[in-house]
Amino acid sequence: MSVIAKLAPPTVETYAKKYADVPKEVILKEDLLRQGMDLSPAALAAAKHSRPQAYFLFSYNMSAHGDMGEGVSTSAPEDIMFLGGPYGLARTSVRVVLNNQSPYKIDVIDGALKICENGIPVADVVYPEKPAYYGKTLADGLNYEQVIPLLYNSYAFITTFRACHYWGDKEECQFCDINYNLREIRRLSGDHVTADAIKNMDHVVEVIGAMAAEPDPAHRMITIIMTGGSILRSVQKGPDNAADFNIPYVEAIREKIGHRVPIVMITETQDLDRLRRMKEAGVTTHNANLEVWDRDLFKVIAPGKEKHVGYDNWVRGLLDSVEIFGEGRVSPNMVSGIEMARPWGFDDVKTAVASATEGFEYMMSRGVIPHLDTWCIEPGTRLADNPPVSLDFLIQADIAWYETWRKHKLPPFEGYGPMGSPGIAVYGNTGSVDMGG
């Protein structure tokens, strides 16, 4: 007599019982971010007219290009929205993290796109359509989207400097693949963002003008996010710091489109004079990404930042920034889950969450609103052999972040779109923004 094994219920279902007060959308979103997803051939074919992965900064994938099926890494969508399904989920944005070993797969079932866990459908899927300006070309033949991609149908993301001067084993952030990703995309075909180390300013201005003029509200640019690798020395005989390197871009953008749309500038920490000059040029939000709160982990996870700036100076710079840009306009990234990175991280969820919470309390009580990005374990990094981040940690960190944010009556962090109950937020890199109203 044959024995048929009973399939375990989907993770979103079991964890919803464990965390009854957490929206199911947060649980599924965090599980997708920590484990990634694969696409069936039918789902990949259905992505033909969607916004493709742009590789604008990092790879944001758990599988290397060569480990995925033909065309997957260049044709898969940049992000998706999941909704409905057996749990009646609200429409939720999430970054597409490609992982050919994931239990999650997008498939076409009865003519409709579904996200399945171990073959069981858990939600419907909507791919992002290309805006009208995708496919338009500059005078040199480069596509607009190869200069500035649109993320989550809302963000213009400009990587002004594609390399990072924190280089090699002793300086690169241990979770970061910015330099590796640049080398990889130089050998890829497709309409991903150009591999030029420095963005052509005239190209940036032309494309941002087209994005600002987009008439369709579904593709309205609500923010401009500008970033790049750290700058420690002169770039092509020009500026030797990120402020002076980026200010001309900001001024040119403001001259082209005015001041309606916020500009988020992400650099290493800057002194007061440079912060003031960035604000005068038109930057509305400045984020110097701290990455992890624990001082000892900061030293080993971000050795270049420790060497060239130091933990105390980095934290002090965040507080200084609030005095210049204001509350809600200083939002350093924290890599959620890096607290448990092997071999240096905490061994248990409770201690790791307590450390993250200590950081949330310190920063938010002083007007700094850190934002979380769930750690994507990328193959080109020194931490590539780590297991997926604990889902319990991610959910508990989201709870702690949300409760601390509400406790201090803080506004949403500016430049990343709305936040609130499921179905409202735009940001797809963390479930913390979908926790509640």
Side-chain angles (χ1 to χ4, degrees):
M1 184 170 62
S2 64
V3 177
I4 301 175
K6 184 179 179 181
L7 288 175
T11 301
V12 64
E13 190 172 312
T14 56
Y15 269 72
K17 295 175 182 177
K18 189 175 184 179
Y19 297 98
D21 295 331
V22 174
K24 291 183 180 70
E25 292 83 356
V26 171
I27 296 169
L28 178 56
K29 185 174 181 176
E30 291 292 10
D31 211 24
L32 290 170
L33 288 170
R34 80 184 189 98
Q35 297 202 80
M37 64 186 78
D38 198 4
L39 282 78
S40 73
L44 188 63
K48 183 176 181 181
H49 299 293
S50 68
R51 283 188 290 101
Q53 298 229 335
Y55 303 106
F56 53 90
L57 184 61
F58 312 123
S59 70
Y60 286 119
N61 288 328
M62 298 175 73
S63 290
H65 297 289
D67 294 335
M68 292 182 259
E70 185 176 354
V72 173
S73 66
T74 52
S75 300
E78 179 72 53
D79 45 74
I80 60 169
M81 286 181 282
F82 64 78
L83 70 161
Y87 308 106
L89 303 174
R91 184 177 292 245
T92 304
S93 294
V94 66
R95 185 180 70 222
V96 170
V97 176
L98 294 173
N99 177 12
N100 62 4
Q101 299 299 312
S102 174
Y104 289 100
K105 178 174 284 191
I106 300 177
D107 204 352
V108 178
I109 300 175
D110 296 329
L113 287 165
K114 307 281 185 181
I115 184 76
C116 303
E117 183 184 9
N118 296 318
I120 302 174
V122 294
D124 301 327
V125 171
V126 176
Y127 284 162
E129 296 180 352
K130 294 179 181 179
Y133 50 81
Y134 265 47
K136 289 188 176 180
T137 58
L138 296 152
D140 62 3
L142 199 64
N143 284 354
Y144 276 19
E145 63 268 29
Q146 292 180 278
V147 178
I148 308 174
L150 185 73
L151 311 183
Y152 307 118
N153 291 335
S154 303
Y155 301 176
F157 203 104
I158 308 173
T159 310
T160 54
F161 183 55
R162 293 234 34 175
C164 180
H165 285 167
Y166 295 154
W167 192 270
D169 292 352
K170 295 182 179 179
E171 293 197 357
E172 283 183 335
C173 290
Q174 301 297 291
F175 59 84
C176 178
D177 77 344
I178 182 172
N179 292 324
Y180 174 87
N181 184 49
L182 178 59
R183 295 190 293 271
E184 284 290 288
I185 66 169
R186 283 176 171 161
R187 64 181 183 82
L188 289 179
S189 60
D191 290 336
H192 53 74
V193 171
T194 175
D196 294 342
I198 300 172
K199 279 285 188 298
N200 180 297
M201 194 180 305
D202 292 335
H203 288 177
V204 167
V205 171
E206 180 176 337
V207 175
I208 210 73
M211 298 177 85
E214 170 59 48
D216 183 359
H219 295 118
R220 186 176 82 83
M221 177 183 69
I222 66 170
T223 186
I224 298 169
I225 299 178
M226 298 178 63
T227 189
S230 294
I231 297 176
L232 303 176
R233 53 188 177 273
S234 177
V235 177
Q236 292 190 351
K237 300 181 180 180
D240 61 358
N241 64 84
D244 289 323
F245 181 85
N246 283 291
I247 282 173
Y249 289 92
V250 175
E251 292 172 335
I253 289 169
R254 289 302 187 202
E255 184 176 353
K256 180 69 175 181
I257 68 169
H259 290 259
R260 174 182 174 180
V261 177
I263 293 180
V264 177
M265 179 64 69
I266 304 171
T267 73
E268 60 272 36
T269 190
Q270 303 291 319
D271 64 32
L272 291 173
D273 175 67
R274 290 174 184 168
L275 290 172
R276 292 190 184 99
R277 288 193 290 113
M278 284 195 288
K279 183 178 181 181
E280 290 169 1
V283 172
T284 48
T285 296
H286 182 256
N287 299 340
N289 294 338
L290 182 62
E291 319 297 8
V292 65
W293 176 252
D294 182 81
R295 180 189 299 269
D296 292 333
L297 279 177
F298 179 86
K299 292 178 180 179
V300 293
I301 295 293
K305 294 183 177 185
E306 171 65 22
K307 175 182 177 180
H308 294 282
V309 180
Y311 180 88
D312 290 332
N313 288 334
W314 202 286
V315 173
R316 188 179 304 113
L318 296 173
L319 306 186
D320 289 343
S321 294
V322 175
E323 295 302 315
I324 293 172
F325 289 95
E327 192 170 83
R329 298 189 178 100
V330 179
S331 181
N333 179 66
M334 309 299 282
V335 183
S336 191
I338 203 74
E339 292 86 351
M340 302 189 75
R342 297 175 182 173
W344 311 291
F346 299 105
D347 293 327
D348 64 281
V349 169
K350 183 178 180 180
T351 308
V353 172
S355 175
T357 304
E358 177 185 290
F360 300 157
E361 176 63 31
Y362 182 92
M363 289 185 277
M364 290 192 195
S365 67
R366 293 161 173 80
V368 176
I369 310 176
H371 71 269
L372 307 183
D373 265 21
T374 297
W375 179 23
C376 175
I377 302 172
E378 295 151 323
T381 69
R382 291 170 182 81
L383 297 176
D385 60 350
N386 270 253
V389 178
S390 161
L391 182 55
D392 285 290
F393 172 87
L394 295 173
I395 293 172
Q396 291 178 34
D398 287 348
I399 294 169
W401 184 94
Y402 177 70
E403 290 179 346
T404 310
W405 178 69
R406 290 295 299 265
K407 171 185 174 182
H408 291 289
K409 305 175 185 176
L410 292 165
F413 46 87
E414 185 172 306
Y416 291 80
M419 292 165 40
S421 301
I424 295 174
V426 174
Y427 195 47
N429 292 13
T430 172
S432 59
V433 295
D434 304 280
M435 281 293 296

